Structure formats: C-alpha cells, structure tokens
Amino acid sequence: MKNMIRLGISTCLLGENVRYDGGHKRDRFVTDTLGHFVEFVPVCPERECGLGVPRESMHLEGSPDSPRLVTSRTKIDHTERMVNWARKRVKELEGEGLCGFVFKSNSPSSGMERVRIYNEKGIPEKKGVGMFARIFMEHFPLLPVEEDGRLHDVRLRENFIERIFALMRWRELLGDKQSRGKLVAFHTQHKLLLLSHSPKHYRTMGKLVADAKNMPPGQLYSRYQVLLMEALKLQTTVKKNVNVLQHMMGYFKRQLSTDEKQELLEVIDQYRQGYTPLVVPITLIKHYVRKYDQPYLKEQVYLTPHPVELKLRNHA
Ligand code: SF4
C-alpha cells in the first residue's frame, strides 16, 4: 500500500477550536478535498506552547527581522516562550516525514508572509512572518509551504500540490537505499514535468544526471533534491505547457493520421488562447499514449502529476 502524504497544518484550519477566542478557521478545501489525499499533522503554536484556549490576542511588534510576540492589551511578551517551544517542535517534526505545511494566514505565530507587525510608532505594516512559521521555514528550507488564503488561487494551489506529490514520489522511489539507477529512473519520469516548470532547471538537472557517476551519491541526491524543489516552485505558464504539449506531439509523428494531428494542434491552440483548460489537450494526448502504447510518454508524470479528482488542470 502506498504511503499517504503527511502534511503539517495549522490546527485551526481543521476546524478545531484552538483560536484565541475559542473558535476555529476551518478551511473547506483543506478538510473536504485535500483531506482525502493527505494525512494532516496539526500544529497550533499558541496552544502547544502553553498559552491555553481562550487567551488574549497577540501581535508582532518591532522590526520584521527580529519581531516580538506581544499580547495586544496587557503587553505581555511571549517571544522567548514561543521561540524556545518552536525550536523543540521543529526537531520533533523532523521525524514526521512531512511533505509540506499549510499555514494560517495573518497569524503572528503561524502566518507565512505579510503578517501585520507594529513599528515603534504603533503603525502596522504587512511585512512580518509568524514566529513559528519563520522557525519552521528556516529549519525545513526545501519543504513546500503555503497558506490557506493563497490555496484558493488555482495556480498557487496547483503548484503547491504538484510539489507535495513530487516530494512524496521522490522519497518513495529512493526509499532507504540510494542508487544512481533509481535517480535516473525518477529523473526520466519527471523530465516533462520539469520542463513545464523550468526549461533552465530541466537542462541543469539533465547534465547532473548524465554526470551522475562522477559525484558521490550523497552529494548527488542532495543537489538533485534542491534543484527539484527549486524547479517545481517556479510556476508553469501557458507558454511552457504549450511547449511541452508540442514536444509530446513529436513522439507521435509517424502514428497520427493527418486528421488526428490537425485535431491535436487545434486543441493545443485552443488551450494557448485560453478557450480550454489544460486537461483537454492532456486528455487527448493520454488517449494517443494509450492507443499507440508510447513507452516514454506512458511513464511521464506530467500526464498525471496529482489525482484527477483534485481537478487542478480544469481552469482555463
Ligand atoms: S493561527 Fe496558529 S496559533 Fe493561531 S489558532 Fe491557528 S494554529 Fe493556533
């Protein structure tokens, strides 16, 4: 049985009543859709560091580089308590096999970016990072992270989910035993996915894999993983996808009839013009891959990088 993706999450997004006012911030996409495909590892920094529920609300103060976490009315400074707890918690999370984290936006503890921080004049600026979120991201610089609000943007959602699934496959394929053969197999399957995100990384990673024998395995894997995560973080665009679709079409040069070629070109062009979503040309290509049993394309993760039920390629 395949392992489930484990995803860290701000506890209140799951609907648990852990907020300062005793409420929650349940996110329906997270619980009702994403929840079918991942196993959540909930983290509520404010409750877990011992501040209780309900509690006084708090905010960030000072400079964005070294903010303080202070209660809004009584001005109690919880910075040290939170930092000490967060440093221990991220060490514990090392053993959870997380493939990413979904943070609660705007929170002085859990917000990933643009959190309100009050300067010495008491004026808020959206330049802060939640105290736990910052320590988490510094500790796990390669892990995909997102916020609840940003996940409602279809492109950011697709990008985040593509990354967590890629990271899961990377871990599964390598397993405990590292081998150059496994890395080459992984790379081959992910070539077109990489090309759809970053032609530059596609070339660099191709060279790295071709030169695999000249590098100690440990160094090779860590370099590859950095490039993989960097590449997938760059968003796909219509132009990059069209390039990949045309590239795939080249594999059927001999098999497709003139009429089939024309139809595929038309469908790709409709996608390029924004009339149809990516799922349309992909479905047609998948049909040809199956019909003509194209061995290279049949292995390409690009054709199904995440479960179709998530409908991530259905927007035009
Ligand atoms: S935003 Fe973070 S600290 Fe606040 S309730 Fe949610 S999980 Fe807890």
Side-chain angles (χ1 to χ4, degrees):
M1 199 183 101
K2 283 203 161 208
N3 293 327
M4 227 171 172
I5 290 180
R6 288 172 66 75
L7 207 56
I9 185 141
S10 298
T11 311
C12 56
L13 293 176
L14 296 179
E16 289 191 33
N17 294 323
V18 292
R19 293 193 83 218
Y20 71 95
D21 57 2
H24 63 77
K25 280 282 175 185
R26 180 172 181 174
D27 184 287
R28 290 279 170 191
F29 169 70
V30 164
T31 55
D32 301 357
T33 305
L34 197 54
H36 292 296
F37 302 95
V38 306
E39 199 177 317
F40 291 121
V41 177
V43 181
C44 176
E46 292 175 17
R47 186 185 62 170
E48 291 181 33
C49 82
L51 294 175
V53 182
R55 56 186 172 270
E56 190 180 342
S57 66
M58 52 200 89
H59 60 250
L60 295 176
E61 276 185 19
S63 77
D65 296 335
S66 54
R68 320 271 324 154
L69 183 64
V70 181
T71 56
S72 304
R73 188 174 44 82
T74 53
K75 301 289 173 204
I76 298 171
D77 190 332
H78 287 307
T79 311
E80 230 175 284
R81 175 198 277 260
M82 179 59 81
V83 168
N84 290 340
W85 168 84
R87 291 209 174 115
K88 271 192 229 138
R89 189 70 169 107
V90 290
K91 287 246 169 237
E92 283 168 19
L93 290 171
E94 281 175 10
E96 294 283 359
L98 298 183
C99 285
F101 203 108
V102 179
F103 290 109
K104 170 72 191 80
S105 54
N106 303 323
S107 155
S109 307
S110 303
M112 186 184 100
E113 58 176 34
R114 295 176 49 78
V115 176
R116 262 195 207 93
I117 177 163
Y118 291 80
N119 65 19
E120 69 279 8
K121 289 181 191 147
I123 298 169
E125 295 176 297
K126 286 194 150 192
K127 289 184 176 171
V129 177
M131 212 140 253
F132 168 69
R134 177 195 291 267
I135 291 172
F136 181 93
M137 291 189 287
E138 283 170 2
H139 196 80
F140 299 107
L142 290 180
L143 274 194
V145 291
E146 259 310 342
E147 287 190 331
D148 54 329
R150 285 169 52 95
L151 280 181
H152 290 260
D153 176 311
V154 284
R155 287 182 176 82
L156 296 177
R157 177 186 292 188
E158 181 183 355
N159 181 276
F160 177 69
I161 290 173
E162 216 156 88
R163 284 186 286 152
I164 63 174
F165 274 89
L167 190 54
M168 180 69 189
R169 284 191 301 272
W170 166 252
R171 290 188 183 153
E172 266 178 4
L173 193 89
L174 294 184
D176 296 334
K177 201 167 170 288
Q178 300 181 336
S179 88
R180 289 194 179 89
K182 283 184 182 179
L183 186 118
V184 172
F186 180 91
H187 181 68
T188 306
Q189 290 164 5
H190 286 77
K191 273 184 175 178
L192 297 184
L193 186 71
L194 291 166
L195 188 60
S196 72
H197 283 266
S198 168
K200 185 171 157 239
H201 284 82
Y202 169 82
R203 287 190 294 273
T204 309
M205 293 167 84
K207 279 188 204 137
L208 181 74
V209 172
D211 216 21
K213 284 199 184 77
N214 300 323
M215 205 182 258
Q219 202 180 325
L220 177 67
Y221 295 132
S222 47
R223 178 80 188 120
Y224 189 89
Q225 191 180 332
V226 169
L227 289 168
L228 175 69
M229 288 293 108
E230 256 180 36
L232 298 183
K233 199 171 177 184
L234 298 167
Q235 280 191 41
T236 58
T237 59
V238 169
K239 197 173 163 198
K240 287 189 259 185
N241 278 321
V242 167
N243 177 34
V244 175
L245 294 168
Q246 288 170 340
H247 186 86
M248 285 195 287
M249 196 175 157
Y251 283 84
F252 298 111
K253 255 191 218 141
R254 293 209 193 96
Q255 289 113 329
L256 296 190
S257 67
T258 312
D259 195 42
E260 285 173 329
K261 270 185 204 155
Q262 189 53 37
E263 186 192 15
L264 186 50
L265 279 172
E266 276 171 22
V267 167
I268 294 175
D269 197 55
Q270 280 164 7
Y271 164 68
R272 187 184 61 74
Q273 294 191 64
Y275 299 138
T276 52
L278 181 58
V279 70
V280 177
I282 291 278
T283 305
L284 189 54
I285 287 181
K286 273 179 164 174
H287 166 72
Y288 292 136
V289 169
R290 187 179 284 186
K291 182 172 172 189
Y292 298 116
D293 198 25
Q294 215 302 316
Y296 173 70
L297 293 186
K298 155 165 120 175
E299 297 295 316
Q300 288 305 306
V301 168
Y302 178 74
L303 291 172
T304 318
H306 29 62
V308 284
E309 295 89 332
L310 287 170
K311 297 186 251 174
L312 296 171
R313 286 172 158 178
N314 296 21
H315 58 89

